[in-house]
């Protein structure tokens, strides 16, 4: 192994700057963001938690078809949005609603697909957020393509491509890393390792020392970070984005976190993990940890916390109002957005449906 290749390897342990008790942890490579940045992050975390829990409740009320919650993983979501510049791109998975909202997407629009609509609900170009990808890792080659195009155009754009631990077992993940490394695409692969690919534990997915170690096989620099430590995430992910923007090529960051709730409302997590395991991770909650840290530094007031709670209430109310409105679907939409210029077959099908609807109306 050459000295250059050793520089690609991640740390032996995930980078941590604030421990689970809220105590600062010294690190010779990364510094914690200042209090103002962390206060803004705490507010975003509290809003994110409320968004997750409100969306989960709306599933039970039949207003959402499904919701893959990021409860417990909110620090990863918030950091992904905060380290990017307005001109950068985010490529989210189905679990990354909070990250999309962090980029400015309206929460109601961000949940359109999970409500059961036929479109993603927002204009991807407006906020530079690609549609949420449900198939595992298929968004990664797309993200690399956007990053490579930015490089060819000499644009300062960085693309942050999100995936889970299960996504690293997919062929798209490996093809994306290889292409990005060969062509020096300015992309950051952000792996949220939440320990389970639906019901499959990490030990049954990979024998690698860590998921970040998969980067060196392709020549991609990698790092590991505590995914429930807001300060460490901002530092490590921010550095990865800076390096990609400065021409150092693709970067891989693995965040060690935990999915506190079931995979979705259709899943029974008690069938594959026990309560003691969940309780251990509850003690590493990202909100509790950051709140404790800021209180110890006298940087967090009761008035500020009340303001954060009020902001979370407003987002939840907006979500309820938006998703409780019934939308009358237009059958013509089935054909209107398939091709810019409809094919003869599509026009024929549209005419057939229109004729049937017309006759049903006449019969009614």
């Amino acid at each position: 192994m050459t000295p250059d290749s050793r520089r690609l390897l991640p740390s032996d342990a995930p980078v941590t700057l604030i421990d689970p008790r809220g105590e600062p942890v010294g690190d010779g490579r990364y510094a914690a963001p200042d209090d103002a940045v962390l206060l803004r992050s705490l507010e975003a975390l509290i809003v994110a938690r409320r968004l997750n829990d409100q969306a989960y409740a709306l599933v039970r009320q039949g207003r959402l078809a499904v919701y893959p919650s990021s409860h417990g993983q909110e620090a990863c979501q918030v950091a992904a949005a905060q380290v990017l510049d307005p001109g950068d791109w985010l490529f989210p998975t189905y679990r990354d609603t909070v990250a999309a909202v962090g980029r400015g997407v309206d929460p109601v629009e961000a949940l359109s697909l999970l409500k059961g609509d036929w479109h993603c609900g927002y204009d991807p170009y407006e906020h530079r957020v690609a549609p949420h990808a449900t198939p595992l890792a298929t968004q990664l080659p797309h993200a690399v393509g956007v990053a490579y195009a930015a490089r060819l155009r000499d644009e300062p754009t960085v693309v942050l491509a999100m995936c889970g631990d299960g996504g690293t077992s997919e062929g798209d993940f490996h093809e994306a890393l290889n292409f990005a490394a060969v062509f020096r695409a300015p992309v950051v692969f952000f792996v949220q390792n939440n320990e389970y690919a639906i019901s499959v534990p990490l030990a049954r997915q990979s024998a690698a020392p860590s998921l970040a170690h998969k980067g060196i096989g392709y020549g991609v620099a990698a790092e590991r970070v505590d995914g429930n430590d807001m300060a460490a995430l901002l530092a490590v992910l921010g550095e990865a984005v800076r390096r990609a923007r400065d021409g150092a090529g693709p970067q891989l960051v693995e965040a060690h976190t935990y999915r506190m709730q079931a995979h979705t409302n259709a899943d029974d997590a008690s069938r594959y993990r026990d309560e003691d395991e969940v309780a251990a991770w509850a003690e590493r909650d990202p909100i509790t940890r950051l709140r404790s840290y800021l209180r110890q530094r006298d940087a967090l007031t009761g008035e500020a916390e009340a303001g954060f709670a009020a902001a979370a209430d407003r987002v939840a109310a907006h979500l309820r109002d938006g998703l409780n409105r019934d939308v009358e679907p237009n059958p013509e939409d089935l054909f209107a957005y398939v091709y810019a210029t409809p094919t003869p077959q599509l026009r024929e099908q549209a005419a057939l449906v229109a004729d049937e609807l017309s006759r049903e109306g006449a019969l009614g």
Side-chain angles (χ1 to χ4, degrees), residues 301-316:
T301 65
E303 183 181 3
E305 284 207 79
F308 299 163
D313 285 344
R314 287 193 295 274
V315 170

Side-chain angles (χ1 to χ4, degrees), residues 2 35 185-186 233 255 276-277 358:
T2 66
D35 290 347
L233 278 162
D276 290 344
E277 180 182 304
S358 174

